[in-house]
Amino acid sequence: ARVMRLLEAAAYLNPADYSLWHYRQHVLHEIYADDVAEWIYERNMLARMIASFPKNYQLWQHRRAVFSHLLQLLLACCDQEAGPPPSSSATENNSKNHRAGGPSF
């Protein structure tokens, strides 16, 4: 957690430093890969920084990576809750199920 706070302080001092954002992204992926709270904090911190530095390319690129990872976490969560997909044999044998690609009489 300390490294993230130090990187945040450094980012406010020099938000255009590519290496800083690259290292921050690396730390997020390695240490906080499944920690949704840390990724939400990162999103909120980026929103504050983008309000101060709206034309900073590195901020916008890091934001894109953060949202991409948050989307992956969300999809993984939804996949776990939904369970396995229905088997194809259950939809093929039903002649009333026109959307399953079976015969339409």
Side-chain angles (χ1 to χ4, degrees):
R2 184 173 181 215
V3 68
M4 293 301 286
R5 302 309 165 241
L6 288 171
L7 287 170
E8 183 176 347
Y12 274 104
L13 294 173
N14 186 9
D17 185 2
Y18 170 80
S19 297
L20 181 139
W21 293 108
H22 179 74
Y23 184 62
R24 187 169 177 92
Q25 190 171 342
H26 176 74
V27 171
L28 276 168
H29 281 286
E30 291 298 319
I31 298 176
Y32 302 106
D34 296 329
D35 187 359
V36 176
E38 190 66 32
W39 288 91
I40 297 292
Y41 178 84
E42 189 74 7
R43 181 199 57 148
N44 294 338
M45 186 266 306
L46 283 169
R48 290 188 304 271
M49 289 195 73
I50 286 173
S52 299
F53 307 102
K55 295 185 178 184
N56 187 305
Y57 179 77
Q58 281 77 16
L59 281 172
W60 287 101
Q61 286 301 103
H62 186 65
R63 180 182 184 267
R64 183 182 63 81
V66 167
F67 273 83
S68 176
H69 190 79
L70 280 170
L71 179 62
Q72 289 175 359
L73 289 175
L74 178 65
L75 291 175
C77 179
C78 290
D79 287 345
Q80 289 174 358
E81 289 178 3
S87 66
S88 60
S89 63
T91 55
E92 288 175 359
N93 294 334
N94 186 353
S95 63
K96 301 285 186 199
N97 191 352
H98 301 290
R99 292 190 181 150
S104 56
F105 297 100

XYZ file of all heavy atoms in Angstrom:
855
model
N 0.834 -1.191 0.000
C 0.000 0.000 0.000
C 0.873 1.247 0.000
O 0.502 2.245 -0.590
C -0.924 -0.018 1.203
N 2.025 1.144 0.640
C 2.893 2.314 0.723
C 3.405 2.725 -0.654
O 3.469 3.916 -0.973
C 4.054 2.040 1.665
C 4.926 3.240 1.858
C 5.975 3.006 2.920
N 6.767 4.210 3.067
C 8.045 4.204 3.335
N 8.673 3.072 3.545
N 8.700 5.336 3.429
N 3.764 1.746 -1.476
C 4.278 2.064 -2.807
C 3.219 2.793 -3.632
O 3.539 3.726 -4.385
C 4.805 0.801 -3.529
C 3.686 -0.157 -3.885
C 5.575 1.186 -4.773
N 1.961 2.420 -3.482
C 0.905 3.087 -4.241
C 0.731 4.537 -3.797
O 0.511 5.423 -4.625
C -0.414 2.321 -4.092
C -0.387 0.941 -4.743
S -0.025 0.987 -6.501
C -1.570 1.600 -7.131
N 0.843 4.788 -2.505
C 0.697 6.163 -2.016
C 1.893 7.020 -2.441
O 1.737 8.192 -2.772
C 0.541 6.180 -0.492
C -0.633 5.371 0.038
C -1.964 5.700 -0.636
N -2.950 4.671 -0.344
C -3.537 3.922 -1.260
N -3.282 4.078 -2.521
N -4.425 3.017 -0.933
N 3.086 6.431 -2.453
C 4.266 7.166 -2.933
C 4.150 7.469 -4.425
O 4.471 8.584 -4.871
C 5.537 6.366 -2.654
C 5.977 6.287 -1.199
C 7.116 5.289 -1.048
C 6.386 7.655 -0.683
N 3.670 6.496 -5.186
C 3.477 6.728 -6.619
C 2.395 7.776 -6.873
O 2.491 8.556 -7.818
C 3.133 5.417 -7.321
C 4.273 4.430 -7.493
C 3.743 3.090 -7.984
C 5.321 4.980 -8.444
N 1.380 7.793 -6.033
C 0.330 8.812 -6.183
C 0.887 10.204 -5.930
O 0.605 11.143 -6.680
C -0.824 8.520 -5.223
C -1.985 9.475 -5.370
C -3.160 9.110 -4.475
O -3.193 7.995 -3.917
O -4.052 9.961 -4.332
N 1.695 10.343 -4.887
C 2.311 11.641 -4.593
C 3.229 12.062 -5.738
O 3.231 13.231 -6.157
C 3.076 11.567 -3.277
N 4.009 11.118 -6.260
C 4.894 11.426 -7.385
C 4.093 11.791 -8.625
O 4.499 12.659 -9.403
C 5.808 10.237 -7.669
N 2.948 11.161 -8.827
C 2.117 11.452 -9.996
C 1.577 12.877 -9.944
O 1.475 13.539 -10.982
C 0.968 10.450 -10.085
N 1.232 13.345 -8.757
C 0.763 14.730 -8.649
C 1.891 15.717 -8.935
O 1.652 16.810 -9.441
C 0.162 14.987 -7.266
C -1.294 14.607 -7.183
C -1.695 13.444 -6.547
C -2.275 15.406 -7.760
C -3.029 13.082 -6.472
C -3.616 15.061 -7.698
C -3.985 13.903 -7.051
O -5.314 13.547 -6.993
N 3.133 15.330 -8.618
C 4.268 16.201 -8.900
C 4.631 16.213 -10.375
O 5.029 17.250 -10.922
C 5.490 15.769 -8.068
C 5.351 15.936 -6.560
C 6.554 15.320 -5.856
C 5.202 17.404 -6.193
N 4.522 15.067 -11.043
C 4.868 14.972 -12.457
C 3.927 13.994 -13.152
O 4.278 12.834 -13.392
C 6.326 14.525 -12.619
C 6.764 14.555 -14.064
O 6.066 15.052 -14.936
N 7.934 13.990 -14.327
N 2.729 14.435 -13.502
C 1.741 13.518 -14.102
C 2.091 13.067 -15.521
O 1.481 12.136 -16.028
C 0.448 14.327 -14.083
C 0.876 15.737 -14.043
C 2.179 15.763 -13.302
N 3.073 13.673 -16.150
C 3.431 13.304 -17.516
C 4.523 12.232 -17.571
O 4.967 11.870 -18.659
C 3.896 14.532 -18.284
N 4.931 11.695 -16.440
C 6.004 10.700 -16.397
C 5.466 9.329 -16.781
O 4.759 8.677 -16.014
C 6.624 10.666 -15.003
C 7.831 9.747 -14.917
O 8.213 9.160 -15.939
O 8.381 9.626 -13.816
N 5.839 8.861 -17.976
C 5.364 7.575 -18.473
C 5.801 6.430 -17.573
O 5.024 5.516 -17.283
C 5.864 7.339 -19.904
C 5.621 5.936 -20.377
C 4.369 5.560 -20.844
C 6.622 4.968 -20.308
C 4.119 4.262 -21.261
C 6.388 3.669 -20.726
C 5.141 3.324 -21.194
O 4.897 2.046 -21.597
N 7.045 6.441 -17.136
C 7.577 5.351 -16.318
C 6.802 5.202 -15.016
O 6.570 4.086 -14.545
C 9.052 5.586 -16.001
O 9.797 5.595 -17.191
N 6.411 6.306 -14.436
C 5.634 6.279 -13.198
C 4.310 5.548 -13.402
O 3.945 4.674 -12.620
C 5.379 7.710 -12.729
C 4.603 7.884 -11.450
C 5.228 8.981 -10.628
C 3.159 8.196 -11.734
N 3.606 5.887 -14.474
C 2.312 5.255 -14.737
C 2.486 3.792 -15.116
O 1.674 2.953 -14.735
C 1.548 6.007 -15.820
C 1.153 7.358 -15.347
C 1.670 8.550 -15.741
C 0.195 7.655 -14.331
N 1.081 9.565 -15.045
C 0.161 9.046 -14.166
C -0.651 6.877 -13.537
C -0.668 9.672 -13.262
C -1.489 7.503 -12.627
C -1.497 8.880 -12.503
N 3.538 3.484 -15.838
C 3.809 2.090 -16.191
C 4.083 1.266 -14.929
O 3.540 0.161 -14.770
C 4.993 2.025 -17.153
C 5.363 0.638 -17.542
N 4.609 -0.109 -18.418
C 6.392 -0.151 -17.158
C 5.165 -1.290 -18.561
N 6.247 -1.348 -17.805
N 4.887 1.793 -14.033
C 5.188 1.077 -12.798
C 3.948 0.959 -11.920
O 3.688 -0.084 -11.323
C 6.322 1.785 -12.042
C 6.753 1.054 -10.799
C 7.295 -0.226 -10.867
C 6.598 1.630 -9.540
C 7.684 -0.909 -9.731
C 6.985 0.963 -8.395
C 7.527 -0.306 -8.495
O 7.895 -0.976 -7.364
N 3.148 2.005 -11.855
C 1.918 1.969 -11.064
C 0.966 0.892 -11.594
O 0.365 0.144 -10.834
C 1.243 3.345 -11.068
C 0.063 3.438 -10.128
C -0.399 4.877 -9.982
N -1.566 4.949 -9.134
C -1.536 5.141 -7.830
N -0.383 5.300 -7.220
N -2.652 5.190 -7.131
N 0.860 0.816 -12.901
C -0.005 -0.202 -13.502
C 0.549 -1.602 -13.212
O -0.222 -2.522 -12.918
C -0.090 0.041 -14.999
C -1.132 -0.783 -15.687
C -1.317 -0.349 -17.122
O -0.933 0.744 -17.516
N -1.895 -1.207 -17.923
N 1.850 -1.750 -13.268
C 2.473 -3.038 -12.966
C 2.181 -3.448 -11.522
O 1.823 -4.602 -11.258
C 3.979 -2.955 -13.218
C 4.723 -4.184 -12.852
N 4.678 -5.330 -13.609
C 5.514 -4.461 -11.786
C 5.420 -6.252 -13.034
N 5.943 -5.757 -11.924
N 2.316 -2.518 -10.588
C 2.045 -2.814 -9.176
C 0.577 -3.183 -8.986
O 0.254 -4.139 -8.273
C 2.439 -1.619 -8.271
C 1.952 -1.819 -6.848
C 3.945 -1.428 -8.290
N -0.315 -2.459 -9.628
C -1.742 -2.773 -9.522
C -2.029 -4.197 -9.997
O -2.758 -4.944 -9.348
C -2.571 -1.788 -10.343
C -2.911 -0.469 -9.682
C -3.465 0.510 -10.711
C -3.894 -0.660 -8.561
N -1.462 -4.563 -11.114
C -1.719 -5.902 -11.660
C -1.077 -7.000 -10.827
O -1.649 -8.079 -10.688
C -1.231 -5.995 -13.107
C -2.167 -5.365 -14.080
N -3.354 -5.940 -14.448
C -2.095 -4.200 -14.759
C -3.969 -5.162 -15.312
N -3.229 -4.096 -15.515
N 0.090 -6.751 -10.273
C 0.801 -7.782 -9.529
C 0.291 -7.956 -8.097
O 0.190 -9.066 -7.602
C 2.308 -7.486 -9.502
C 2.971 -7.628 -10.851
C 2.893 -9.033 -11.409
O 3.067 -10.003 -10.644
O 2.650 -9.167 -12.622
N -0.014 -6.854 -7.432
C -0.379 -6.922 -6.008
C -1.895 -6.879 -5.799
O -2.429 -7.566 -4.941
C 0.307 -5.786 -5.217
C 1.828 -5.957 -5.309
C -0.147 -5.784 -3.765
C 2.613 -4.850 -4.660
N -2.576 -6.077 -6.598
C -4.007 -5.845 -6.371
C -4.866 -6.367 -7.523
O -5.921 -5.799 -7.822
C -4.267 -4.352 -6.187
C -3.509 -3.732 -5.052
C -2.422 -2.905 -5.279
C -3.885 -3.979 -3.738
C -1.724 -2.336 -4.228
C -3.200 -3.416 -2.687
C -2.122 -2.595 -2.938
O -1.426 -2.034 -1.894
N -4.469 -7.433 -8.165
C -5.177 -7.913 -9.355
C -6.666 -8.155 -9.104
O -7.506 -7.823 -9.937
C -4.524 -9.183 -9.887
N -7.033 -8.738 -7.956
C -8.431 -9.061 -7.671
C -9.066 -8.157 -6.627
O -10.183 -8.411 -6.192
C -8.539 -10.515 -7.202
C -8.116 -11.488 -8.282
O -8.308 -11.171 -9.470
O -7.589 -12.560 -7.941
N -8.382 -7.104 -6.220
C -8.882 -6.197 -5.183
C -9.698 -5.077 -5.836
O -9.158 -4.064 -6.275
C -7.717 -5.626 -4.383
C -8.156 -4.802 -3.192
O -9.384 -4.648 -2.985
O -7.279 -4.313 -2.459
N -10.995 -5.275 -5.912
C -11.870 -4.317 -6.588
C -11.808 -2.947 -5.917
O -11.804 -1.915 -6.599
C -13.325 -4.842 -6.624
C -14.257 -3.820 -7.235
C -13.390 -6.148 -7.392
N -11.704 -2.911 -4.602
C -11.659 -1.635 -3.882
C -10.449 -0.803 -4.311
O -10.559 0.423 -4.475
C -11.635 -1.877 -2.379
N -9.322 -1.437 -4.502
C -8.120 -0.700 -4.925
C -8.272 -0.167 -6.341
O -7.847 0.950 -6.644
C -6.885 -1.592 -4.819
C -5.579 -0.864 -4.998
C -5.263 0.135 -3.909
O -5.651 -0.082 -2.748
O -4.608 1.152 -4.220
N -8.905 -0.941 -7.215
C -9.128 -0.480 -8.588
C -10.148 0.665 -8.628
O -10.015 1.590 -9.433
C -9.558 -1.634 -9.471
C -8.420 -2.564 -9.755
C -8.064 -3.666 -9.037
C -7.466 -2.452 -10.801
N -6.949 -4.241 -9.586
C -6.562 -3.531 -10.667
C -7.284 -1.547 -11.846
C -5.495 -3.710 -11.546
C -6.229 -1.748 -12.725
C -5.351 -2.808 -12.570
N -11.151 0.627 -7.756
C -12.116 1.734 -7.667
C -11.425 2.988 -7.138
O -11.663 4.098 -7.627
C -13.322 1.339 -6.777
C -14.090 0.170 -7.392
C -14.229 2.528 -6.504
C -14.809 0.490 -8.674
N -10.552 2.803 -6.143
C -9.784 3.944 -5.631
C -8.939 4.548 -6.757
O -8.856 5.772 -6.893
C -8.885 3.515 -4.462
C -8.035 4.651 -3.949
C -8.552 5.550 -3.022
C -6.739 4.858 -4.420
C -7.791 6.619 -2.574
C -5.979 5.915 -3.988
C -6.508 6.795 -3.064
O -5.756 7.865 -2.626
N -8.334 3.686 -7.557
C -7.512 4.156 -8.683
C -8.358 4.955 -9.669
O -7.944 6.003 -10.151
C -6.867 2.953 -9.373
C -5.841 3.311 -10.405
C -4.534 3.792 -9.821
O -4.345 3.747 -8.587
O -3.680 4.232 -10.601
N -9.546 4.472 -9.947
C -10.449 5.188 -10.855
C -10.800 6.562 -10.301
O -10.775 7.563 -11.020
C -11.722 4.371 -11.069
C -12.695 5.035 -12.028
C -14.054 4.480 -11.869
N -14.469 4.644 -10.470
C -15.714 4.843 -10.090
N -16.657 4.871 -10.980
N -16.019 4.976 -8.825
N -11.098 6.631 -9.006
C -11.450 7.909 -8.379
C -10.262 8.864 -8.354
O -10.417 10.063 -8.584
C -11.985 7.674 -6.970
C -13.303 6.929 -6.977
O -14.015 6.935 -7.978
N -13.620 6.277 -5.878
N -9.071 8.336 -8.074
C -7.874 9.170 -8.062
C -7.610 9.725 -9.466
O -7.274 10.891 -9.630
C -6.677 8.335 -7.577
C -5.394 9.119 -7.367
S -4.229 9.160 -8.746
C -3.963 7.469 -9.126
N -7.810 8.898 -10.478
C -7.624 9.362 -11.852
C -8.633 10.443 -12.220
O -8.295 11.398 -12.921
C -7.731 8.194 -12.822
C -6.506 7.289 -12.894
C -6.827 6.027 -13.667
C -5.337 8.019 -13.505
N -9.857 10.306 -11.747
C -10.879 11.329 -12.031
C -10.450 12.675 -11.449
O -10.610 13.718 -12.099
C -12.222 10.889 -11.464
N -9.908 12.656 -10.239
C -9.420 13.903 -9.628
C -8.247 14.476 -10.415
O -8.171 15.691 -10.641
C -9.006 13.667 -8.174
C -10.157 13.391 -7.233
C -9.710 13.367 -5.785
N -8.636 12.419 -5.517
C -8.808 11.140 -5.175
N -10.027 10.654 -5.063
N -7.772 10.362 -4.935
N -7.339 13.618 -10.827
C -6.157 14.103 -11.556
C -6.522 14.609 -12.946
O -5.980 15.616 -13.408
C -5.102 13.005 -11.638
C -4.441 12.729 -10.312
S -2.945 11.765 -10.471
C -1.839 12.970 -11.167
N -7.442 13.909 -13.614
C -7.843 14.343 -14.956
C -8.554 15.692 -14.894
O -8.441 16.502 -15.813
C -8.686 13.255 -15.646
C -7.767 12.101 -16.069
C -9.452 13.796 -16.837
C -8.477 10.882 -16.611
N -9.253 15.962 -13.796
C -9.880 17.275 -13.636
C -8.813 18.372 -13.570
O -9.038 19.492 -14.051
C -10.741 17.294 -12.378
N -7.656 18.056 -13.005
C -6.573 19.037 -12.906
C -5.702 19.077 -14.157
O -5.140 20.114 -14.501
C -5.680 18.726 -11.699
O -6.413 18.789 -10.513
N -5.539 17.934 -14.821
C -4.660 17.825 -15.994
C -5.419 17.144 -17.138
O -5.121 16.007 -17.517
C -3.413 16.996 -15.647
C -2.675 17.469 -14.437
C -2.816 16.805 -13.218
C -1.839 18.572 -14.496
C -2.138 17.232 -12.102
C -1.152 19.002 -13.370
C -1.304 18.331 -12.164
N -6.414 17.820 -17.731
C -7.284 17.150 -18.709
C -6.606 16.753 -20.022
O -7.119 15.900 -20.732
C -8.383 18.178 -18.958
C -7.778 19.480 -18.603
C -6.793 19.208 -17.515
N -5.463 17.336 -20.358
C -4.815 17.034 -21.634
C -3.610 16.110 -21.480
O -2.807 15.988 -22.394
C -4.390 18.329 -22.315
C -5.570 19.183 -22.715
C -5.144 20.390 -23.474
C -6.354 21.190 -23.904
N -5.989 22.335 -24.721
N -3.520 15.432 -20.350
C -2.373 14.571 -20.091
C -2.614 13.184 -20.693
O -3.483 12.441 -20.254
C -2.136 14.474 -18.592
C -0.877 13.732 -18.262
O -0.693 12.607 -18.694
N -0.021 14.361 -17.491
N -1.815 12.841 -21.683
C -1.970 11.581 -22.402
C -1.778 10.378 -21.488
O -2.532 9.411 -21.561
C -0.983 11.538 -23.566
C -1.048 10.266 -24.366
C -2.076 10.062 -25.276
C -0.085 9.271 -24.207
C -2.148 8.896 -26.013
C -0.153 8.101 -24.946
C -1.181 7.926 -25.841
O -1.247 6.763 -26.564
N -0.756 10.405 -20.614
C -0.475 9.275 -19.734
C -1.641 8.994 -18.794
O -1.960 7.836 -18.524
C 0.802 9.513 -18.928
C 2.071 9.260 -19.697
C 2.407 10.379 -20.663
O 1.877 11.480 -20.585
N 3.285 10.099 -21.611
N -2.289 10.030 -18.298
C -3.456 9.850 -17.426
C -4.581 9.127 -18.165
O -5.183 8.197 -17.631
C -3.970 11.198 -16.924
C -3.214 11.842 -15.787
C -3.730 13.250 -15.549
C -3.348 11.020 -14.534
N -4.850 9.572 -19.377
C -5.935 8.966 -20.137
C -5.615 7.521 -20.509
O -6.503 6.660 -20.501
C -6.248 9.788 -21.385
C -6.951 11.051 -21.050
C -6.415 12.297 -20.971
C -8.334 11.195 -20.705
N -7.369 13.219 -20.613
C -8.563 12.571 -20.444
C -9.401 10.313 -20.595
C -9.810 13.058 -20.082
C -10.647 10.812 -20.237
C -10.833 12.161 -19.992
N -4.365 7.225 -20.822
C -3.981 5.846 -21.133
C -4.085 4.954 -19.897
O -4.539 3.814 -19.984
C -2.561 5.804 -21.699
C -2.462 6.309 -23.115
C -3.330 5.505 -24.061
O -4.396 5.941 -24.471
N -2.890 4.321 -24.425
N -3.662 5.480 -18.756
C -3.766 4.703 -17.523
C -5.245 4.482 -17.167
O -5.633 3.405 -16.728
C -3.028 5.409 -16.388
C -2.959 4.620 -15.132
N -2.274 3.429 -15.040
C -3.506 4.828 -13.912
C -2.399 2.951 -13.812
N -3.152 3.778 -13.111
N -6.046 5.499 -17.381
C -7.490 5.383 -17.129
C -8.101 4.276 -17.994
O -8.916 3.481 -17.541
C -8.175 6.717 -17.412
C -9.672 6.704 -17.189
C -10.253 8.073 -17.538
N -11.658 8.132 -17.252
C -12.613 7.869 -18.146
N -12.296 7.531 -19.375
N -13.887 7.951 -17.811
N -7.687 4.209 -19.261
C -8.178 3.170 -20.164
C -7.819 1.786 -19.639
O -8.642 0.875 -19.630
C -7.599 3.372 -21.560
C -8.112 2.392 -22.590
C -7.473 2.608 -23.954
N -6.037 2.393 -23.940
C -5.458 1.191 -24.003
N -6.181 0.110 -24.073
N -4.153 1.087 -23.992
N -6.592 1.635 -19.149
C -6.155 0.344 -18.611
C -6.924 -0.016 -17.347
O -7.303 -1.175 -17.144
C -4.650 0.380 -18.329
N -7.198 0.980 -16.497
C -7.941 0.735 -15.250
C -9.366 0.304 -15.575
O -9.875 -0.672 -15.012
C -7.924 1.987 -14.345
C -8.929 1.866 -13.215
C -6.519 2.200 -13.788
N -10.019 1.000 -16.494
C -11.393 0.628 -16.844
C -11.444 -0.734 -17.520
O -12.382 -1.506 -17.309
C -12.033 1.699 -17.730
C -12.688 2.795 -16.942
C -11.942 3.849 -16.449
C -14.036 2.758 -16.668
C -12.531 4.854 -15.709
C -14.643 3.756 -15.929
C -13.893 4.806 -15.449
N -10.448 -1.046 -18.310
C -10.386 -2.361 -18.942
C -10.288 -3.459 -17.886
O -10.981 -4.481 -17.972
C -9.192 -2.419 -19.887
O -9.052 -3.698 -20.426
N -9.453 -3.250 -16.885
C -9.308 -4.258 -15.834
C -10.581 -4.344 -14.982
O -10.994 -5.437 -14.605
C -8.103 -3.950 -14.949
C -7.772 -5.063 -14.010
N -7.084 -6.185 -14.408
C -8.071 -5.254 -12.705
C -6.963 -7.006 -13.384
N -7.558 -6.463 -12.335
N -11.195 -3.209 -14.685
C -12.457 -3.236 -13.937
C -13.535 -3.993 -14.703
O -14.317 -4.742 -14.107
C -12.928 -1.810 -13.628
C -12.266 -1.131 -12.448
C -12.638 0.344 -12.402
C -12.650 -1.809 -11.150
N -13.572 -3.831 -16.008
C -14.538 -4.566 -16.827
C -14.263 -6.066 -16.770
O -15.189 -6.867 -16.646
C -14.491 -4.068 -18.270
C -15.439 -4.761 -19.239
C -16.884 -4.546 -18.825
C -15.205 -4.257 -20.647
N -12.993 -6.456 -16.813
C -12.646 -7.873 -16.700
C -13.069 -8.434 -15.348
O -13.573 -9.553 -15.263
C -11.144 -8.073 -16.899
C -10.694 -7.860 -18.313
C -9.186 -7.948 -18.447
O -8.469 -8.159 -17.475
N -8.700 -7.774 -19.661
N -12.864 -7.661 -14.273
C -13.289 -8.106 -12.943
C -14.807 -8.263 -12.879
O -15.321 -9.228 -12.311
C -12.817 -7.131 -11.869
C -11.329 -7.110 -11.564
C -11.007 -5.995 -10.571
C -10.865 -8.442 -11.016
N -15.529 -7.327 -13.467
C -16.985 -7.386 -13.474
C -17.479 -8.598 -14.261
O -18.370 -9.317 -13.809
C -17.555 -6.102 -14.073
C -19.064 -6.025 -14.206
C -19.717 -6.024 -12.826
C -19.477 -4.804 -14.980
N -16.893 -8.833 -15.420
C -17.302 -9.981 -16.226
C -16.985 -11.295 -15.528
O -17.774 -12.239 -15.590
C -16.637 -9.926 -17.599
C -17.114 -8.803 -18.517
C -16.299 -8.776 -19.800
C -18.590 -8.932 -18.810
N -15.859 -11.367 -14.860
C -15.508 -12.578 -14.114
C -16.497 -12.810 -12.981
O -16.903 -13.945 -12.722
C -14.092 -12.471 -13.571
N -16.909 -11.742 -12.327
C -17.890 -11.844 -11.233
C -19.231 -12.327 -11.788
O -19.863 -13.205 -11.207
C -18.034 -10.497 -10.557
S -19.233 -10.493 -9.218
N -19.652 -11.778 -12.918
C -20.931 -12.179 -13.520
C -20.892 -13.624 -13.990
O -21.874 -14.352 -13.869
C -21.277 -11.268 -14.687
S -21.711 -9.600 -14.179
N -19.757 -14.052 -14.542
C -19.627 -15.435 -14.995
C -19.733 -16.407 -13.836
O -20.314 -17.476 -13.963
C -18.303 -15.646 -15.732
C -18.299 -14.999 -17.102
O -19.396 -14.633 -17.590
O -17.213 -14.845 -17.676
N -19.180 -16.053 -12.687
C -19.252 -16.927 -11.518
C -20.679 -17.027 -11.000
O -21.122 -18.087 -10.588
C -18.332 -16.416 -10.413
C -16.868 -16.582 -10.722
C -15.979 -15.940 -9.676
O -16.464 -15.328 -8.729
N -14.673 -16.070 -9.855
N -21.415 -15.923 -11.028
C -22.785 -15.916 -10.517
C -23.744 -16.637 -11.458
O -24.701 -17.255 -11.027
C -23.259 -14.481 -10.295
C -22.594 -13.799 -9.121
C -23.055 -12.365 -8.955
O -23.935 -11.920 -9.716
O -22.529 -11.695 -8.061
N -23.498 -16.566 -12.762
C -24.422 -17.147 -13.735
C -24.309 -18.660 -13.800
O -25.264 -19.339 -14.164
C -24.157 -16.550 -15.117
N -23.165 -19.186 -13.468
C -22.982 -20.627 -13.546
C -22.655 -21.059 -14.958
O -22.481 -20.242 -15.857
N -22.608 -22.358 -15.200
C -22.257 -22.837 -16.538
C -23.385 -22.563 -17.527
O -24.557 -22.489 -17.141
C -22.057 -24.346 -16.334
C -22.852 -24.673 -15.116
C -22.835 -23.434 -14.258
N -23.058 -22.396 -18.815
C -24.106 -22.157 -19.813
C -24.954 -23.411 -20.000
O -24.499 -24.525 -19.745
C -23.310 -21.840 -21.080
C -21.970 -22.437 -20.858
C -21.734 -22.414 -19.372
N -26.200 -23.251 -20.439
C -27.056 -24.429 -20.645
C -26.485 -25.302 -21.753
O -25.859 -24.812 -22.690
C -28.400 -23.832 -21.045
C -28.101 -22.459 -21.516
C -26.871 -22.011 -20.783
N -26.734 -26.594 -21.641
C -26.206 -27.510 -22.651
C -26.971 -27.321 -23.948
O -28.148 -26.983 -23.970
C -26.314 -28.951 -22.169
O -27.676 -29.311 -22.057
N -26.308 -27.570 -25.056
C -26.950 -27.372 -26.354
C -28.022 -28.423 -26.621
O -28.960 -28.179 -27.354
C -25.895 -27.394 -27.462
O -25.220 -28.637 -27.452
N -27.912 -29.603 -26.021
C -28.910 -30.647 -26.270
C -30.269 -30.268 -25.696
O -31.294 -30.689 -26.206
C -28.434 -31.979 -25.688
O -28.307 -31.862 -24.279
N -30.307 -29.446 -24.672
C -31.578 -29.038 -24.078
C -32.362 -28.141 -25.023
O -33.592 -28.147 -25.018
C -31.332 -28.317 -22.756
N -31.690 -27.371 -25.854
C -32.395 -26.482 -26.767
C -32.625 -27.106 -28.132
O -33.531 -26.715 -28.844
C -31.607 -25.165 -26.943
O -30.278 -25.470 -27.366
C -31.572 -24.387 -25.642
N -31.825 -28.069 -28.522
C -31.976 -28.681 -29.842
C -33.195 -29.589 -29.934
O -33.809 -29.693 -30.982
C -30.717 -29.476 -30.201
C -29.526 -28.604 -30.517
C -28.269 -29.414 -30.748
O -28.332 -30.654 -30.644
O -27.233 -28.802 -31.035
N -33.561 -30.276 -28.884
C -34.647 -31.257 -28.923
C -36.033 -30.634 -28.816
O -37.017 -31.312 -29.009
C -34.458 -32.290 -27.816
C -33.211 -33.123 -28.049
O -32.783 -33.283 -29.184
N -32.628 -33.623 -26.971
N -36.153 -29.383 -28.505
C -37.435 -28.734 -28.324
C -37.872 -28.118 -29.651
O -37.319 -27.150 -30.126
C -37.329 -27.653 -27.233
C -38.670 -27.061 -26.901
O -39.672 -27.333 -27.548
N -38.692 -26.231 -25.877
N -38.931 -28.676 -30.266
C -39.376 -28.177 -31.564
C -40.061 -26.819 -31.448
O -40.236 -26.138 -32.439
C -40.322 -29.189 -32.215
O -41.485 -29.338 -31.412
N -40.491 -26.413 -30.239
C -41.146 -25.121 -30.047
C -40.129 -23.988 -29.857
O -40.487 -22.832 -29.864
C -42.043 -25.154 -28.800
C -43.116 -26.201 -28.861
C -44.210 -25.778 -29.781
C -45.332 -26.798 -29.702
N -46.199 -26.742 -30.818
N -38.868 -24.334 -29.682
C -37.846 -23.332 -29.446
C -37.283 -22.874 -30.791
O -36.300 -23.396 -31.284
C -36.742 -23.922 -28.556
C -35.793 -22.859 -28.067
O -35.862 -21.715 -28.498
N -34.905 -23.241 -27.172
N -37.898 -21.878 -31.401
C -37.522 -21.423 -32.734
C -36.204 -20.673 -32.744
O -35.537 -20.623 -33.763
C -38.628 -20.529 -33.328
C -39.937 -21.244 -33.427
N -40.138 -22.269 -34.322
C -41.080 -21.088 -32.738
C -41.378 -22.715 -34.192
N -41.968 -22.012 -33.229
N -35.832 -20.075 -31.623
C -34.600 -19.277 -31.595
C -33.356 -20.137 -31.423
O -32.267 -19.650 -31.567
C -34.672 -18.268 -30.450
C -35.715 -17.218 -30.720
C -35.629 -16.115 -29.730
N -36.676 -15.153 -30.042
C -37.270 -14.402 -29.164
N -36.922 -14.503 -27.891
N -38.192 -13.548 -29.516
N -33.511 -21.386 -31.111
C -32.363 -22.256 -30.889
C -31.830 -22.838 -32.183
O -30.843 -23.549 -32.182
C -32.729 -23.388 -29.935
N -32.437 -22.558 -33.293
C -31.953 -23.050 -34.573
C -32.476 -24.426 -34.937
O -32.007 -25.027 -35.878
N -33.446 -24.917 -34.180
C -34.039 -26.215 -34.487
C -35.013 -26.104 -35.643
O -35.217 -25.044 -36.228
N -35.640 -27.215 -36.022
C -36.596 -27.157 -37.142
C -37.810 -26.330 -36.765
O -38.285 -26.335 -35.643
C -36.971 -28.626 -37.341
C -36.657 -29.296 -36.049
C -35.524 -28.530 -35.447
N -38.298 -25.542 -37.719
C -39.496 -24.731 -37.471
C -40.633 -25.293 -38.307
O -40.625 -25.221 -39.522
C -39.229 -23.261 -37.816
O -38.777 -23.157 -39.147
N -41.615 -25.882 -37.673
C -42.741 -26.510 -38.354
C -43.924 -25.591 -38.420
O -44.260 -24.835 -37.640
C -43.140 -27.812 -37.644
C -42.057 -28.824 -37.682
C -41.232 -29.031 -36.597
C -41.814 -29.568 -38.817
C -40.239 -29.983 -36.616
C -40.808 -30.501 -38.865
C -40.007 -30.716 -37.752
